[in-house]
Structure formats: C-alpha cells, structure tokens
Amino acid sequence: MPVTGAGAADVVVAAREGPKHKKAGREPGERSGRRQIGRRSWWGAVFATPHSLGLAIFTVVPIVASLVVSFMNWPMLGEHSWTGLDNYRKLFSDQTFWIVARNTVEYVVLYVPLNLVVSLGLAAWLTPRIRHRHIFRVLFFIPTITPLVANVVVWRMLYQPDGFIDATMQSTIGVNAPNFLADGTWAMFAVVAMSVWAGFGYNMLIFSAALDAVPDNQLEAAQIDGASAWQVFWRIKFPAISPSIFFATMMTLITSFQVFTQPFLLTKGGPGTETETLVQYIYNTGFQTQQLGLASAGAWVLFVIILGITAVQFLGQKRWVHYE
C-alpha cells in the first residue's frame, strides 16, 4: 500500500535526515582514530629523530661534503679553490693509482673465492652428526671477533725469518722459508692468507645456519633415490642455501674492495707498492701528502666501482639464486 500525505512527508524527512545522523554518529570515531594515528606518527618521529640526526650528521653530510671536495683543490692547510674535474684527471694519470687498483683486484680475486670455499666447506662439514660441533663453531669464529691488530702481531711472528713457519721448514725439510713480507712474490699471498683466517668465521656461521634449515624430507628422498653426497649437496643443498651464498658473496666482495687494515699493518703496502690497496692509497693521499681533494676523488672512484659490482651481482642473481 503506497504511503501518501503526511506519512510520505515523514518518510522523505527521515530519508533525508537518516544519513546526516549516521554520518554525525561516525565522526567522533573517525576523529578519534585520526588522532591516535597522529599521536603514533608524532611519537614515532620523536623516537626516530636521534637516529635520523646521527645519520644526517655523520653519514649524509660527510658523503655530500666529500663529493664537493673532490672537485676542489683542498690542501689540509691553506686556501681552497674550485678545480672541476682536475682531481679525477690527475688521479687517472697517476701510475701509482693504477698499480694499487691492480693490487686491489688481485686481492679480491684471491680472497673472495678462498673465503667462500673455506667457510662453505667447514659449514658443510659441521653437520649435526659431528659431535660437539658447537664448540668447533666457536673456535672457528674466534678469529673473526679478535681485533685485527692482535691477529697481525701473531701473523707477523709466523711470517718473519726464524719465525714459526721458517723454523718448521728448517727442521722438517732443511729449507728456509721465503721472507713472506719482504718478497714481492709472496707478500700479497701472505696478506690474503691472514685475511682468510681472520674472516671466514662470519660466512661459516651464515652457511651453517642455512644448511641446518634445509628440509630433512628432501635430503631423505634424495638418499632413497640413491643420490651421492655430492649430488645431494649440488642438487638440493646448494639451491636451498643460494640466497645465503648470494648475500655472503656480495658482502665479502664489498668488504674486500675496502680492505685496509691487513696490508697497512702487516706490510705497510710494501715491499714498494706490491700490497698497497685503493683505500690505503686514499689514506696516504689525504693524510700524508695532504691532498684532500685528490683523496676524495679516489674515494668516489672506489664508490662507483663497488656500486657497479653490486649492481651486476643483483642482476646476475636471477640466474642462480632460488627463493622459495
């Protein structure tokens, strides 16, 4: 039965006023929710401010300042002047720069594969079937947390003439060991050996944790099918831990291009410039010859190299890294 007259007018008025009352009823809740979100955002900004200020003051500002300084003649004492790309031209025309760049590449090529192979091999060996494997993990990780200065003191005693290595070779085969730190043929290998010993523990823990996370049912199925230990590792374990291998490879590459402490303390970059690296070259240029502009240019060249290698790593991971 259709509504007419006053009844129809009441329905129309109710229809018009209903949404208004409903909307008015939601406004307090909406405002309260917005206030809570606003308070949380404000408190979040308050707690993030100290970290943000520290990041800006100690990271962002120095990075921008070094970029500006790289385009200037900036002696440690004296007046500064804008030189444009002169520092980069001088850098690329310096024969020593190319020598230390070659040394850095040589170090990376030797150190990164050795570090990964040693750490992955030990992680694969430290299976749950090994008794007291947690003790072995601690022992292998100790060199990583030991200060590099202490490591250098120990390894200098091993390398020096009449040291442990030399004395052992004389007593066993009657031959003197090479003067590892003063011989250009052996100096870089000596630095790499010490670096691998001091750095493999970190990647070993990463690989060990990744191997422990491989599902047991996949390993049991492969063993039932008659797969050998090498096939189990290559076909099942390696794809499962490939994200961890990618992470370890990328981080090891970045840190190896930034190597400084080991060659600086062990050989001072010698003999000659046989073990001098890019970071040591930047340090010597900035703090010994006091050419801060040229040192900043070298730092930015190193940054571009690391950035390019990292980009290549991320592009290449699609071919061999498997994410579940």
Side-chain angles (χ1 to χ4, degrees):
M1 181 177 178
V3 181
T4 58
D10 293 339
V11 171
V12 172
V13 171
R16 291 178 178 177
E17 294 181 354
K20 292 182 181 179
H21 292 305
K22 188 176 182 181
K23 182 178 180 180
R26 286 201 307 264
E27 282 183 355
E30 290 179 355
R31 291 176 180 175
S32 176
R34 290 175 181 175
R35 287 171 185 165
Q36 291 179 359
I37 293 173
R39 292 193 191 101
R40 291 174 183 174
S41 301
W42 187 84
W43 279 111
V46 169
F47 285 116
T49 297
H51 176 75
S52 301
L53 287 176
L55 179 66
I57 295 173
F58 298 107
T59 302
V60 177
V61 172
I63 289 175
V64 175
S66 69
L67 180 61
V68 175
V69 172
S70 69
F71 295 104
M72 302 181 69
N73 177 23
W74 195 299
M76 190 168 290
L77 298 174
E79 297 182 357
H80 333 306
S81 59
W82 183 267
T83 58
L85 297 175
D86 285 351
N87 285 325
Y88 293 93
R89 296 191 189 99
K90 185 176 180 180
L91 190 71
F92 293 131
S93 62
D94 186 3
Q95 188 65 27
T96 304
F97 171 78
W98 293 108
I99 293 174
V100 300
R102 182 203 63 193
N103 294 340
T104 304
V105 172
E106 181 181 355
Y107 176 87
V108 171
V109 170
L110 291 173
Y111 171 74
V112 173
L114 281 174
N115 182 295
L116 295 176
V117 169
V118 171
S119 56
L120 184 57
L122 289 174
W125 175 67
L126 290 173
T127 60
R129 292 178 296 179
I130 301 296
R131 295 183 60 185
H132 309 298
R133 68 172 185 150
H134 300 296
I135 297 177
F136 286 108
R137 282 180 175 177
V138 172
L139 292 176
F140 291 147
F141 192 69
I142 285 176
T144 304
I145 60 176
T146 304
L148 274 176
V149 175
N151 289 336
V152 168
V153 172
V154 173
W155 279 83
R156 285 186 69 90
M157 296 173 62
L158 295 176
Y159 283 142
Q160 67 185 6
D162 296 328
F164 177 78
I165 297 176
D166 189 24
T168 302
M169 292 184 64
Q170 290 183 27
S171 61
T172 54
I173 60 178
V175 177
N176 290 327
N179 191 351
F180 293 102
L181 302 181
D183 190 340
T185 304
W186 293 97
M188 182 59 74
F189 294 104
V191 173
V192 170
M194 180 228 164
S195 300
V196 171
W197 179 82
F200 76 88
Y202 180 78
N203 287 339
M204 182 209 64
L205 287 184
I206 294 176
F207 295 149
S208 182
L211 287 170
D212 289 346
V214 177
D216 293 333
N217 57 354
Q218 296 182 8
L219 303 177
E220 293 173 357
Q223 293 173 354
I224 293 173
D225 291 339
S228 63
W230 172 251
Q231 289 174 331
V232 170
F233 177 81
W234 186 250
R235 299 292 183 181
I236 297 177
K237 291 184 179 180
F238 186 86
I241 67 173
S242 57
S244 298
I245 295 176
F246 168 72
F247 171 79
T249 302
M250 186 177 65
M251 296 304 296
T252 306
L253 272 171
I254 292 173
T255 55
S256 61
F257 271 100
Q258 298 175 353
V259 64
F260 170 75
T261 307
Q262 296 92 312
F264 180 76
L265 295 178
L266 200 60
T267 63
K268 296 295 182 182
T273 57
E274 290 295 325
T275 58
E276 185 176 345
T277 60
L278 278 170
V279 176
Q280 189 174 350
Y281 174 83
I282 295 168
Y283 171 84
N284 293 336
T285 303
F287 295 99
Q288 292 187 3
T289 62
Q290 300 183 359
Q291 302 179 60
L292 298 182
L294 187 61
S296 298
W300 274 93
V301 170
L302 179 61
F303 169 76
V304 171
I305 292 173
I306 294 175
L307 183 64
I309 291 175
T310 304
V312 171
Q313 285 282 321
F314 272 100
L315 292 175
Q317 68 164 327
K318 299 177 182 179
R319 297 185 177 181
W320 64 277
V321 179
H322 304 277
Y323 296 99
E324 295 182 357

